[in-house]
Amino acid sequence: MNNPHRRYNPLTGEWVLVSPHRTKRPWQGREERATDDGIPSYDPSCYLCPGNERANKQKNPHYTSTYVFTNDFAALFPDIPKQSNNDSLLRFETIKGTCRVLCFSPRHDLTLPEMEIQEIIDVIKMWIEQYIDLGSMYRWVQIFENKGEIMGCSNPHPHGQVWAVDELPNEAVKEKRQQQEYYRNYRIPLLSAYRDMELEKRVRVLLENDHWLVVVPYWAIWPFETLLLPRMNVQRLSDLHDEMIHALAEILKRHLSKYDNVFNVPFPYTMGWHNAPCDENNYRYWILHAHFYPPLLRSATIKKFMVGYEMLSESQRDITPEQAAEILREESEIHYKRKSYDDECIRKKY
Ligand code: H2U
Ligand code: ZN
């Protein structure tokens, strides 16, 4: 379809405007950047590095793998009284919750795709532990990573966050409603049907292994947005067995290496997990998945802005999800830093 059209996002019930005719060529070149950005493996001024002091004067331990602490500037608190009103205009409700910071590695200079499989497994296990722990206290556990200055994250030390709340936030409400309704109509989980269709068509699939696949979803709004899906119908991170965890580490490393290779820079993004909510309801219609929302468009510095029509009417994209999938599929799975290291070794050898 080369004409302007709208695509429906069945997970949120929202539409996105696609204007493929605006990209005369599918790919308009890239801007390369020096590969050595000179980040030290330990930064004495970093509040996440082992042994360093944080804003609240507490010292991080000399951790050697992952490390979790309660955010010193948490947006939520666990102990506040329930209060709400039913005002038709000035309505509010109090909300209980907590925010934690999740350090992925003691090394200040690493990013997920540069870490070893075993180290990525440790990060996944930390996510699972946090999901179980906070899920026993709160209805919604949002695990996420904000990466890159362009996404408002100024510290390169590899880390993510988890925020847990006792009410379902907007995105969770949309996904719950949509998945529930799809199940009611078709008697199959929405994302299970979607996964099987993508595996059959193979137009938007980027990567797969025995337990996972990565697609550019048909309804993506960000240029290189992707969706990570399990092959089995699991609802939560806590459902993953060892083999699935290992396969997840493997596909994350390949996927994030591809991302970094698009512009030869650590690819900025917001990523996060959508687990089934943690309450007594039956969530057989829900499939665990992770969203990756990278803002970059044509180069390491050109970002897609969601302004104008997007803010006032609806999201819009030029390059189609199928074109983005093709670009990402063709990228190497070997991280560019690793590649230049290998090239260097080969040069030295011959
Ligand atoms: P981001 O850079 O992804 O926003 O994460 C850093 C978080 O770390 C941020 O939410 C917290 C900030 O509140 N932080 C601390 O908890 N302690 C500190 O000493 C500095 C920053
Ligand atoms: Zn650091």
Side-chain angles (χ1 to χ4, degrees):
M1 171 55 68
N2 244 329
N3 289 328
H5 60 282
R6 294 166 86 208
R7 294 189 184 191
Y8 181 69
N9 180 343
L11 253 188
T12 60
E14 288 164 358
W15 293 81
V16 49
L17 170 63
V18 187
S19 318
H21 61 286
R22 296 224 301 192
T23 47
K24 283 187 213 81
R25 283 176 293 150
W27 190 233
Q28 296 172 321
R30 61 177 72 169
E31 201 175 273
E32 306 278 342
R33 240 209 212 168
T35 50
D36 183 14
D37 28 25
I39 298 174
S41 61
Y42 167 76
D43 178 349
S45 68
C46 168
Y47 53 82
L48 300 177
C49 276
N52 289 0
E53 194 176 275
R54 299 205 307 273
N56 68 351
K57 300 280 169 223
Q58 250 179 299
K59 268 195 178 166
N60 296 326
H62 289 275
Y63 64 97
T64 54
S65 167
T66 58
Y67 173 56
V68 181
F69 64 90
T70 300
N71 196 313
D72 302 317
F73 306 99
L76 297 151
F77 298 120
D79 305 311
I80 47 164
K82 264 241 172 285
Q83 256 184 300
S84 63
N85 68 10
N86 248 330
D87 194 285
S88 66
L89 294 175
L90 306 176
R91 187 171 165 188
F92 83 97
E93 61 184 22
T94 51
I95 180 138
K96 286 188 203 194
T98 192
C99 304
R100 295 177 181 168
V101 179
L102 315 173
C103 300
F104 295 168
S105 161
R107 283 269 304 269
H108 185 78
D109 58 336
L110 288 185
T111 60
L112 276 176
E114 296 167 86
M115 287 163 61
E116 301 295 335
I117 294 293
Q118 189 51 49
E119 294 168 332
I120 303 175
I121 289 176
D122 291 341
V123 172
I124 298 166
K125 288 192 168 162
M126 168 175 66
W127 287 337
I128 296 172
E129 273 167 29
Q130 291 302 311
Y131 178 73
I132 293 172
D133 181 35
L134 292 168
S136 68
M137 297 177 266
Y138 298 102
R139 268 186 93 191
W140 184 251
V141 179
Q142 184 59 63
I143 295 164
F144 64 97
E145 181 191 5
N146 248 352
K147 188 176 154 206
E149 259 173 83
I150 220 164
M151 296 305 280
C153 174
S154 52
N155 191 341
H157 195 115
H159 69 284
Q161 299 192 39
V162 56
W163 292 27
V165 283
D166 64 355
E167 288 294 340
L168 295 188
N170 294 338
E171 295 305 310
V173 169
K174 285 187 243 169
E175 289 200 354
K176 177 175 174 347
R177 182 193 61 217
Q178 294 293 115
Q179 290 183 95
Q180 201 167 17
E181 192 173 307
Y182 191 95
Y183 194 86
R184 210 177 289 131
N185 291 338
Y186 301 100
R187 291 282 131 201
I188 177 174
L190 192 175
L191 286 177
S192 163
Y194 181 70
R195 171 194 61 213
D196 295 346
M197 179 279 294
E198 288 293 9
L199 281 172
E200 204 186 297
K201 291 207 188 311
R202 297 198 168 273
V203 181
R204 285 167 294 267
V205 179
L206 301 184
L207 281 173
E208 55 187 302
N209 64 21
D210 286 349
H211 295 283
W212 302 90
L213 64 150
V214 180
V215 301
V216 177
Y218 177 74
W219 53 78
I221 64 174
W222 294 97
F224 295 103
E225 176 178 335
T226 52
L227 180 66
L228 172 67
L229 290 168
R231 276 184 191 268
M232 265 171 51
N233 291 354
V234 292
Q235 292 150 0
R236 312 183 146 88
L237 281 170
S238 48
D239 296 337
L240 305 184
H241 55 66
D242 281 349
E243 230 178 82
M244 294 176 84
I245 294 174
H246 192 280
L248 176 57
E250 192 258 353
I251 206 162
L252 277 174
K253 188 172 169 78
R254 291 162 65 201
H255 180 37
L256 299 179
S257 296
K258 268 181 183 288
Y259 263 170
D260 284 6
N261 288 343
V262 174
F263 299 120
N264 281 355
V265 290
F267 211 58
Y269 59 71
T270 277
M271 72 77 66
W273 288 99
H274 280 161
N275 289 275
C278 302
D279 55 33
E280 298 307 309
N281 296 322
N282 185 331
Y283 286 99
R284 62 175 166 252
Y285 54 81
W286 192 293
I287 303 277
L288 169 74
H289 58 280
H291 295 283
F292 293 81
Y293 300 134
L296 293 186
L297 182 56
R298 271 191 300 275
S299 77
T301 48
I302 300 179
K303 173 183 185 294
K304 174 178 175 54
F305 286 98
M306 288 286 183
V307 294
Y309 191 79
E310 278 113 334
M311 279 187 115
L312 293 159
S313 299
E314 74 188 14
S315 302
Q316 185 272 342
R317 63 179 295 140
D318 295 342
I319 161 181
T320 63
E322 294 71 33
Q323 289 169 331
E326 207 178 308
I327 291 165
L328 288 170
R329 223 181 353 250
E330 281 169 12
E331 277 307 337
S332 164
E333 293 176 12
I334 309 292
H335 195 270
Y336 68 88
K337 284 189 191 168
R338 178 78 225 171
K339 224 168 148 200
S340 41
Y341 172 78
D342 289 347
D343 290 350
E344 184 70 11
C345 294
I346 292 168
R347 251 201 310 278
K348 275 190 183 141
K349 215 167 148 194
Y350 298 104

